[in-house]
Coordinates of all heavy atoms in Angstrom, one line a residue:
E15 N -67.0 26.6 69.9 CA -67.1 27.2 71.3 C -66.8 28.7 71.3 O -67.5 29.5 71.9 CB -66.1 26.5 72.2 CG -66.4 25.0 72.5 CD -65.3 24.3 73.2 OE1 -64.3 25.0 73.6 OE2 -65.4 23.1 73.4
L16 N -65.7 29.1 70.6 CA -65.3 30.5 70.6 C -66.4 31.3 69.8 O -66.7 32.4 70.2 CB -63.9 30.6 69.9 CG -62.8 30.1 70.7 CD1 -61.5 30.1 69.9 CD2 -62.6 30.8 72.0
D17 N -66.9 30.7 68.7 CA -67.9 31.4 67.9 C -69.1 31.7 68.7 O -69.7 32.8 68.7 CB -68.2 30.6 66.7 CG -69.0 31.4 65.6 OD1 -68.6 32.6 65.4 OD2 -69.9 30.8 65.1
R18 N -69.6 30.7 69.5 CA -70.7 30.9 70.4 C -70.5 32.0 71.4 O -71.3 32.8 71.7 CB -71.1 29.6 71.1 CG -71.9 28.7 70.2 CD -72.5 27.5 71.0 NE -71.5 26.7 71.7 CZ -70.9 25.7 71.1 NH1 -71.1 25.4 69.8 NH2 -70.0 25.0 71.8
E19 N -69.3 32.0 72.0 CA -68.9 33.0 73.0 C -69.0 34.4 72.4 O -69.5 35.3 73.0 CB -67.5 32.7 73.5 CG -67.2 33.5 74.7 CD -65.9 33.1 75.3 OE1 -65.6 31.9 75.4 OE2 -65.1 34.0 75.7
V20 N -68.5 34.6 71.2 CA -68.5 35.9 70.5 C -69.9 36.3 70.3 O -70.3 37.4 70.6 CB -67.7 35.9 69.2 CG1 -68.0 37.1 68.4 CG2 -66.2 35.7 69.4
K21 N -70.8 35.4 69.8 CA -72.2 35.7 69.6 C -72.9 36.1 70.9 O -73.7 37.0 70.9 CB -72.9 34.6 68.9 CG -72.5 34.5 67.4 CD -73.2 33.3 66.8 CE -72.6 33.2 65.3 NZ -73.0 32.0 64.7
Q22 N -72.5 35.5 72.0 CA -73.1 35.8 73.3 C -72.8 37.2 73.7 O -73.5 37.9 74.4 CB -72.7 34.8 74.3 CG -73.4 33.4 74.1 CD -72.8 32.4 75.1 OE1 -71.9 32.7 75.8 NE2 -73.4 31.2 75.1
R23 N -71.6 37.6 73.4 CA -71.1 39.0 73.8 C -71.6 40.1 72.8 O -71.3 41.2 73.0 CB -69.6 39.0 73.9 CG -69.1 38.1 75.0 CD -67.7 38.2 75.2 NE -67.2 37.3 76.2 CZ -66.1 37.3 76.7 NH1 -65.1 38.1 76.3 NH2 -65.8 36.4 77.7
N24 N -72.2 39.7 71.7 CA -72.7 40.6 70.8 C -71.7 41.2 69.9 O -70.9 42.1 70.3 CB -73.6 41.7 71.5 CG -74.4 42.5 70.5 OD1 -74.0 42.7 69.4 ND2 -75.4 43.1 71.0
I25 N -71.6 40.8 68.7 CA -70.6 41.3 67.7 C -70.6 42.8 67.6 O -69.6 43.4 67.4 CB -70.8 40.6 66.4 CG1 -69.5 40.8 65.5 CG2 -72.0 41.0 65.6 CD1 -68.3 40.0 65.9
E26 N -71.8 43.4 67.7 CA -71.9 44.9 67.5 C -71.1 45.6 68.6 O -70.5 46.6 68.4 CB -73.4 45.3 67.5 CG -74.1 44.8 66.3 CD -75.6 45.1 66.3 OE1 -76.0 45.9 67.2 OE2 -76.3 44.6 65.5
A27 N -71.2 45.0 69.8 CA -70.5 45.7 71.0 C -69.0 45.6 70.7 O -68.3 46.6 71.1 CB -70.8 44.9 72.3
I28 N -68.5 44.6 70.1 CA -67.1 44.5 69.8 C -66.7 45.6 68.9 O -65.7 46.3 69.1 CB -66.7 43.1 69.2 CG1 -66.9 42.0 70.3 CG2 -65.3 43.1 68.7 CD1 -66.9 40.6 69.8
F29 N -67.5 45.8 67.8 CA -67.1 46.9 66.9 C -67.4 48.3 67.5 O -66.6 49.2 67.1 CB -68.0 46.7 65.6 CG -67.4 45.7 64.7 CD1 -67.9 44.4 64.7 CD2 -66.3 46.0 63.8 CE1 -67.4 43.4 63.9 CE2 -65.8 45.0 63.0 CZ -66.3 43.7 63.0
Q30 N -68.3 48.4 68.4 CA -68.5 49.7 69.0 C -67.3 50.1 69.9 O -66.9 51.2 70.0 CB -69.8 49.7 69.9 CG -71.0 49.8 69.0 CD -72.3 49.7 69.8 OE1 -72.3 49.1 70.9 NE2 -73.4 50.2 69.3
D31 N -66.6 49.1 70.4 CA -65.4 49.3 71.3 C -64.3 49.9 70.5 O -63.4 50.5 71.0 CB -65.0 48.0 72.0 CG -65.9 47.7 73.2 OD1 -66.7 48.6 73.6 OD2 -65.8 46.5 73.6
I32 N -64.3 49.6 69.1 CA -63.2 50.2 68.3 C -63.2 51.7 68.3 O -62.2 52.3 68.3 CB -63.3 49.6 66.8 CG1 -63.1 48.1 66.9 CG2 -62.3 50.3 65.9 CD1 -63.4 47.4 65.6
R33 N -64.4 52.3 68.4 CA -64.6 53.7 68.4 C -63.8 54.5 67.3 O -62.8 55.2 67.6 CB -64.2 54.3 69.8 CG -64.9 53.7 70.9 CD -64.6 54.4 72.2 NE -64.9 53.6 73.4 CZ -66.1 53.4 73.9 NH1 -67.1 54.0 73.3 NH2 -66.3 52.7 74.9
F34 N -64.3 54.4 66.1 CA -63.7 55.1 65.0 C -63.9 56.6 65.3 O -65.0 57.1 65.5 CB -64.4 54.8 63.7 CG -64.2 53.3 63.3 CD1 -65.2 52.4 63.5 CD2 -63.0 52.9 62.8 CE1 -65.0 51.1 63.1 CE2 -62.8 51.6 62.4 CZ -63.8 50.7 62.6
I35 N -62.9 57.3 65.5 CA -62.9 58.7 66.0 C -63.7 59.6 65.1 O -64.5 60.4 65.6 CB -61.5 59.3 66.2 CG1 -60.8 58.5 67.3 CG2 -61.5 60.7 66.5 CD1 -59.3 58.8 67.5
D36 N -63.5 59.6 63.8 CA -64.1 60.5 62.9 C -65.4 60.0 62.2 O -65.9 60.5 61.3 CB -63.1 61.0 61.9 CG -62.6 59.9 61.0 OD1 -62.8 58.7 61.3 OD2 -62.1 60.2 59.9
L37 N -66.0 58.9 62.8 CA -67.1 58.3 62.2 C -68.4 58.8 62.9 O -68.5 58.7 64.1 CB -67.0 56.8 62.2 CG -68.1 56.0 61.5 CD1 -68.1 56.3 60.0 CD2 -67.9 54.5 61.7
D38 N -69.3 59.3 62.2 CA -70.6 59.7 62.8 C -71.3 58.5 63.4 O -71.4 57.4 62.8 CB -71.5 60.2 61.7 CG -72.8 60.8 62.2 OD1 -73.4 60.3 63.1 OD2 -73.3 61.8 61.6
P39 N -71.6 58.5 64.7 CA -72.2 57.4 65.4 C -73.4 56.8 64.7 O -73.7 55.7 64.8 CB -72.5 57.9 66.8 CG -71.8 59.2 66.9 CD -71.5 59.7 65.6
R40 N -74.2 57.7 64.0 CA -75.4 57.2 63.3 C -75.0 56.2 62.2 O -75.8 55.3 61.9 CB -76.1 58.4 62.7 CG -76.7 59.3 63.8 CD -77.3 60.5 63.2 NE -76.3 61.3 62.5 CZ -76.5 62.4 61.8 NH1 -77.7 62.9 61.7 NH2 -75.5 63.0 61.2
V41 N -73.8 56.4 61.6 CA -73.4 55.5 60.5 C -73.2 54.1 61.1 O -73.7 53.1 60.4 CB -72.1 56.0 59.9 CG1 -71.5 54.9 59.0 CG2 -72.3 57.3 59.2
M42 N -72.7 53.9 62.3 CA -72.6 52.6 62.9 C -73.9 52.0 63.1 O -74.1 50.8 62.8 CB -71.7 52.6 64.1 CG -70.3 52.9 63.8 SD -69.2 52.6 65.2 CE -69.0 50.9 65.1
G43 N -74.9 52.8 63.5 CA -76.2 52.2 63.7 C -76.9 51.8 62.4 O -77.5 50.7 62.4
F44 N -76.7 52.6 61.4 CA -77.2 52.2 60.1 C -76.6 50.9 59.6 O -77.2 50.0 59.0 CB -77.0 53.3 59.0 CG -77.7 54.6 59.4 CD1 -77.1 55.8 59.0 CD2 -78.8 54.7 60.1 CE1 -77.7 57.0 59.3 CE2 -79.4 55.9 60.5 CZ -78.8 57.1 60.0
T45 N -75.3 50.9 59.8 CA -74.5 49.7 59.3 C -74.9 48.4 60.1 O -75.1 47.4 59.5 CB -73.0 50.0 59.5 OG1 -72.6 51.2 58.9 CG2 -72.2 48.8 59.0
F46 N -75.0 48.5 61.4 CA -75.4 47.4 62.2 C -76.8 46.8 61.7 O -77.0 45.6 61.8 CB -75.5 47.7 63.7 CG -74.1 48.0 64.3 CD1 -74.1 48.8 65.4 CD2 -73.0 47.5 63.7 CE1 -72.9 49.1 66.0 CE2 -71.7 47.8 64.3 CZ -71.7 48.6 65.5
D47 N -77.6 47.6 61.2 CA -79.0 47.2 60.8 C -78.9 46.5 59.4 O -79.9 45.9 59.0 CB -79.9 48.4 60.7 CG -80.3 48.9 62.1 OD1 -80.2 48.1 63.0 OD2 -80.8 50.0 62.2
S48 N -77.8 46.6 58.7 CA -77.8 46.1 57.3 C -77.5 44.6 57.3 O -76.7 44.1 58.2 CB -76.7 46.8 56.5 OG -75.4 46.4 56.8
V49 N -78.1 43.9 56.4 CA -77.8 42.4 56.3 C -76.4 42.2 55.9 O -75.7 41.2 56.4 CB -78.8 41.8 55.2 CG1 -78.4 40.4 54.8 CG2 -80.2 42.0 55.6
E50 N -75.8 43.1 55.0 CA -74.4 42.9 54.6 C -73.5 42.9 55.8 O -72.6 42.1 55.9 CB -74.0 44.0 53.6 CG -72.6 43.9 53.1 CD -72.2 45.0 52.2 OE1 -72.9 46.0 52.1 OE2 -71.2 44.8 51.5
F51 N -73.7 43.9 56.7 CA -72.8 43.9 57.9 C -73.0 42.6 58.7 O -72.0 42.1 59.2 CB -73.2 45.1 58.8 CG -72.5 45.1 60.2 CD1 -71.2 45.5 60.3 CD2 -73.1 44.5 61.3 CE1 -70.5 45.4 61.5 CE2 -72.4 44.4 62.5 CZ -71.1 44.9 62.6
Q52 N -74.2 42.2 58.9 CA -74.4 41.0 59.7 C -73.7 39.8 59.1 O -73.1 39.0 59.8 CB -75.9 40.7 59.9 CG -76.7 41.8 60.7 CD -76.2 41.9 62.1 OE1 -75.7 41.0 62.7 NE2 -76.2 43.1 62.6
E53 N -73.7 39.6 57.8 CA -73.1 38.5 57.1 C -71.6 38.7 57.3 O -70.9 37.7 57.6 CB -73.5 38.5 55.7 CG -74.9 38.0 55.5 CD -75.4 38.2 54.0 OE1 -74.6 38.7 53.2 OE2 -76.5 37.7 53.7
L54 N -71.0 39.9 57.0 CA -69.6 40.1 57.1 C -69.1 39.9 58.5 O -68.0 39.3 58.8 CB -69.2 41.4 56.6 CG -69.3 41.6 55.1 CD1 -69.1 43.1 54.7 CD2 -68.3 40.8 54.3
A55 N -69.8 40.4 59.5 CA -69.4 40.4 60.9 C -69.4 38.9 61.4 O -68.5 38.5 62.1 CB -70.3 41.2 61.8
T56 N -70.4 38.2 60.9 CA -70.5 36.7 61.3 C -69.3 36.0 60.7 O -68.7 35.2 61.4 CB -71.8 36.1 60.9 OG1 -72.9 36.9 61.5 CG2 -71.9 34.7 61.2
A57 N -69.0 36.2 59.5 CA -67.9 35.5 58.8 C -66.5 35.9 59.5 O -65.7 35.1 59.7 CB -67.8 35.8 57.3
F58 N -66.4 37.2 59.8 CA -65.2 37.7 60.5 C -65.0 37.0 61.8 O -63.9 36.6 62.1 CB -65.3 39.2 60.6 CG -64.3 39.8 61.5 CD1 -63.0 40.0 61.1 CD2 -64.6 40.2 62.8 CE1 -62.0 40.6 62.0 CE2 -63.7 40.7 63.7 CZ -62.4 40.9 63.3
A59 N -66.0 37.0 62.6 CA -66.0 36.4 63.9 C -65.6 34.9 63.8 O -64.8 34.4 64.6 CB -67.3 36.6 64.7
R60 N -66.2 34.2 62.9 CA -65.9 32.8 62.7 C -64.4 32.6 62.3 O -63.8 31.7 62.8 CB -66.8 32.2 61.7 CG -66.6 30.8 61.3 CD -67.6 30.0 62.0 NE -67.3 28.6 61.7 CZ -67.5 27.6 62.6 NH1 -68.0 27.9 63.8 NH2 -67.2 26.4 62.3
D61 N -64.0 33.4 61.3 CA -62.6 33.3 60.9 C -61.6 33.6 62.0 O -60.6 32.8 62.1 CB -62.3 34.2 59.7 CG -63.0 33.8 58.4 OD1 -63.5 32.7 58.3 OD2 -63.1 34.7 57.5

């Protein structure tokens, strides 16, 4: 139930809320597009 709720809210939005101060915003965009990020983010949310 919780995992479905997180997916509905979009895992990328959760990480964007962290707002890494010194990180170029383009880096987050590139990262979100990677398969590795999607796999890690999905596992993180589930854990």
Side-chain angles (χ1 to χ4, degrees):
E15 292 170 6
L16 293 171
D17 192 43
R18 278 192 301 276
E19 189 174 321
V20 167
K21 287 179 183 169
Q22 288 172 354
R23 293 185 182 188
N24 190 336
I25 192 74
E26 293 174 11
I28 293 169
F29 281 97
Q30 285 175 337
D31 284 346
I32 295 171
R33 300 187 200 279
F34 297 103
I35 294 170
D36 61 344
L37 187 63
D38 184 324
R40 295 174 296 180
V41 171
M42 290 194 78
F44 301 148
T45 305
F46 293 155
D47 288 340
S48 76
V49 172
E50 182 182 16
F51 172 80
Q52 295 299 327
E53 290 172 352
L54 289 170
T56 299
F58 168 77
R60 177 103 184 145
D61 289 348

